[in-house]
Amino acid sequence: MYSKMSKETALATLLALSLHSSDHFMASSFTPSRFLVGGRRWQSPIVSSLSVSSSSSKITSTSEEDQPRRDKESSNHSQDHDDEEGSEANRPWWKDFQLKDSSLAPSVLADFPILQTTFDGDGKILPDSDDTSTSTKRLIYLDSAATSQKPIPVTTALTDYYLRSNSNVHRGAHALSREATSLYESSRDKVAKFVNARSRNEIVFTSGATEAINLVASTLSQTCGKPPQNARELYLTEGDEVLITENEHHSNIVPWQMACRRSGATLKHLPSNAACTASGEFDLRSFEELLTPQTKLVSLQHVSNVLGTIYPIQAIVHLVRTKAHPGAKILLDACQSLPHMPVDVQSLDVDFLAGSGHKMCGPTGIGFLWGKEDVLNSLPPYMGGGEMIRDVYMDNSTYADAPARFEAGTPPIAQAVGLGAAIDYLETIGMERIHDYEMELGDYLRRRLEDVEGITVLGPGVGTERAALCAFVAGNVHPSDLSTFLDVEGVAIRA
């Protein structure tokens, strides 16, 4: 496989260090990286990555103490490399590139011990991360789209909870239960503040964004299209329309297929080439043409997890409010925006928003659904059990208001505490700072990739408002081959 790869293809692969750090991607500097092509060593300036999930996007350079070793290893090639670059007059622009906020990544690198992971020549993880022999490689993690790495404050919060506060919540009068309840509910307050919710009652903890979307889809189709006994409850029925885009994550497609099958509603979608046009924009006109007075729900992503397109949500909301059914609801999948930019649900004016904890430096197994309080209380319960009830009789039950209505049973307490710690961490850095940093890195990456012959970069171009993500096609090389090649070099990307 290696011998068939061109120098340009391998270079593009390494430049794609941030290929899918669309989720969390922060870099401090550009350092030489070694890779083999056809048995020969090449050197390329690349972004060393430290993914700070979600918004704190953390990409950092290889530690300074590694630099002399890497420089020495590449010295035999440096003269050839200089010749290839040409004279000083033709000096590539990226050689003089400097980040405006170059202090960000170094300031957080120590918070992510996993980034000190090293690999041997066969790509196997070494047990001793202090091994600095010439055959070892330091981890470059760029798979934050799958999950972000966790900073020490988050792992410490999880450990401290289990060691000092572990108990069930809402149901014990003893000190441990009171403390666990306080920590759990404090995290709800942090999430509410993070998205600028009007009330803490608008935050429902879930196992992740997937469950949050399923919660809405399932409750709306619970009656299988028949009018509910409670006339205040929202529901889908035959003749109603649900509108999504072809570019959605599967977790925002399949639940609506299931909901429409149960309720008899019709599922419509905006084609991919309209959700992101050739210029990288969302085609509002094509979207408007799909809206009808029968459109009862619109569900779409805030930021594309593939192309990096940022959808014009306020313009979309305006169209839905004016062209769709008067009671139409809007759900926003914010997994790719919450970690990278400020998100204000009041300003967006959607009805629901789904968020994922593990993509924003938090633990796995936790997410949340934000919903307008009156809308949440117009939905039937999602699951039955303890905590979600008001009164229970042998022939019927009455239900609590949100958020308790949707949190049946023992919730993910420790995970919620960890999510609260992750939000503290991101806010300490600053969401505006994270967004500005990622935008600069994203533009740099796109420009570098566009310089490489045989590489086609997808999504919005340089200078367009977009996420720090560059998806690309590398000639005739299969994505799995490229990702395998990078894995041997210690680079983790999506393919």
Side-chain angles (χ1 to χ4, degrees):
M1 176 184 72
Y2 302 152
S3 62
K4 292 181 180 179
M5 288 187 178
S6 66
K7 172 190 173 183
E8 289 77 11
T9 296
L11 172 61
T13 303
L14 283 171
L15 285 176
L17 284 176
S18 312
L19 176 62
H20 271 200
S21 51
S22 76
D23 281 341
H24 326 96
F25 150 39
M26 192 154 61
S28 63
S29 63
F30 303 96
T31 61
S33 179
R34 299 174 293 107
F35 55 103
L36 290 173
V37 182
R40 191 179 173 194
R41 260 180 218 288
W42 295 97
Q43 175 177 299
S44 169
I46 61 174
V47 181
S48 276
S49 93
L50 168 56
S51 331
V52 166
S53 74
S54 277
S55 30
S56 132
S57 134
K58 233 180 173 182
I59 286 188
T60 68
S61 67
T62 313
S63 60
E64 292 181 3
E65 59 267 26
D66 290 341
Q67 196 59 49
R69 173 171 58 84
R70 296 201 175 198
D71 287 344
K72 182 177 179 180
E73 291 170 352
S74 61
S75 62
N76 292 336
H77 173 65
S78 60
Q79 186 61 50
D80 291 341
H81 183 70
D82 291 339
D83 292 342
E84 290 174 3
E85 296 299 350
S87 65
E88 188 67 23
N90 296 321
R91 183 180 179 84
W93 64 268
W94 48 264
K95 287 223 171 205
D96 300 312
F97 178 86
Q98 292 184 350
L99 289 164
K100 296 176 182 177
D101 190 1
S102 60
S103 65
L104 197 160
S107 70
V108 298
L109 177 58
D111 295 335
F112 296 81
I114 196 170
L115 295 173
Q116 301 303 315
T117 301
T118 55
F119 303 85
D120 64 18
D122 295 324
K124 296 180 180 178
I125 296 176
L126 294 171
D128 183 5
S129 61
D130 294 329
D131 186 343
T132 58
S133 62
T134 58
S135 62
T136 63
K137 304 175 184 67
R138 182 68 56 81
L139 169 66
I140 298 175
Y141 184 81
L142 295 162
D143 197 18
S144 294
T147 193
S148 63
Q149 296 301 339
K150 320 306 175 192
I152 290 174
V154 171
T155 58
T156 299
L158 289 167
T159 301
D160 284 351
Y161 169 78
Y162 280 121
L163 292 180
R164 298 179 175 86
S165 309
N166 183 47
S167 182
N168 217 321
V169 295
H170 303 144
R171 60 188 70 179
H174 54 82
L176 278 180
S177 180
R178 293 197 305 272
E179 177 65 11
T181 299
S182 176
L183 291 170
Y184 179 73
E185 293 299 338
S186 175
S187 291
R188 194 189 308 277
D189 291 332
K190 292 177 182 180
V191 175
K193 177 177 177 291
F194 190 67
V195 299
N196 194 30
R198 290 183 177 84
S199 166
R200 68 190 312 275
N201 295 334
E202 296 181 331
I203 304 300
V204 177
F205 284 125
T206 63
S207 64
T210 296
E211 185 182 30
I213 296 171
N214 273 273
L215 187 159
V216 178
S218 295
T219 53
L220 287 175
S221 59
Q222 193 175 97
T223 64
C224 298
K226 298 178 181 178
Q229 292 183 347
N230 184 347
R232 293 181 59 246
E233 289 182 359
L234 300 174
Y235 72 105
L236 291 171
T237 190
E238 186 174 356
D240 291 342
E241 296 174 353
V242 175
L243 177 58
I244 61 175
T245 81
E246 192 175 5
N247 288 356
E248 301 303 312
H249 189 280
H250 290 164
S251 62
N252 201 24
I253 297 176
V254 179
W256 300 112
Q257 292 174 339
M258 298 168 70
C260 288
R261 188 178 304 116
R262 283 191 297 266
S263 65
T266 300
L267 182 62
K268 300 168 65 176
H269 70 269
L270 181 71
S272 180
N273 60 1
C276 183
T277 64
S279 60
E281 299 174 347
F282 185 91
D283 188 343
L284 285 168
R285 178 172 297 181
S286 294
F287 176 78
E288 182 178 3
E289 290 174 354
L290 290 172
L291 292 171
T292 73
Q294 287 72 49
T295 304
K296 293 288 287 291
L297 186 131
V298 175
S299 188
L300 72 169
Q301 55 198 352
H302 193 180
V303 175
S304 170
N305 66 315
V306 176
L307 299 175
T309 308
I310 300 177
Y311 287 7
I313 299 303
Q314 291 176 322
I316 290 172
V317 169
H318 174 73
L319 287 175
V320 174
R321 302 297 186 216
T322 56
K323 300 291 184 179
H325 186 279
K329 305 304 177 189
I330 305 168
L331 185 150
L332 193 64
D333 173 2
C335 289
Q336 305 300 325
S337 57
L338 285 168
H340 309 290
M341 63 185 70
V343 173
D344 184 333
V345 293
Q346 294 190 52
S347 175
L348 292 171
D349 194 30
V350 294
D351 300 287
F352 303 102
L353 180 143
S356 171
H358 75 93
K359 293 182 184 295
M360 50 190 291
C361 296
T364 55
I366 186 69
F368 66 91
L369 172 70
W370 167 84
K372 292 179 178 177
E373 190 168 2
D374 62 328
V375 177
L376 287 175
N377 287 324
S378 298
L379 296 176
Y382 176 49
M383 296 190 298
E387 296 300 311
M388 50 74 65
I389 43 83
R390 182 174 288 123
D391 296 299
V392 176
Y393 307 95
M394 294 314 297
D395 58 351
N396 71 88
S397 298
T398 58
Y399 309 119
D401 289 335
R405 173 179 297 203
F406 305 106
E407 295 183 4
T410 299
I413 307 168
Q415 291 89 335
V417 172
L419 176 58
I423 289 174
D424 288 342
Y425 186 84
L426 295 176
E427 290 189 324
T428 297
I429 298 171
M431 296 308 301
E432 289 282 3
R433 185 184 182 191
I434 289 167
H435 174 65
D436 292 345
Y437 190 83
E438 292 188 353
M439 287 297 295
E440 186 179 15
L441 284 175
D443 281 350
Y444 171 90
L445 178 60
R446 172 118 194 177
R447 290 181 66 189
R448 289 289 285 124
L449 285 170
E450 289 176 342
D451 286 345
V452 181
E453 185 179 353
I455 297 296
T456 301
V457 187
L458 309 177
V462 173
T464 305
E465 184 72 9
R466 59 191 297 280
L469 163 69
C470 282
F472 66 90
V473 178
N476 296 321
V477 181
H478 194 281
S480 294
D481 291 342
L482 287 178
S483 63
T484 300
F485 175 82
L486 285 173
D487 181 52
V488 173
E489 293 296 316
V491 181
I493 67 167
R494 296 299 296 274

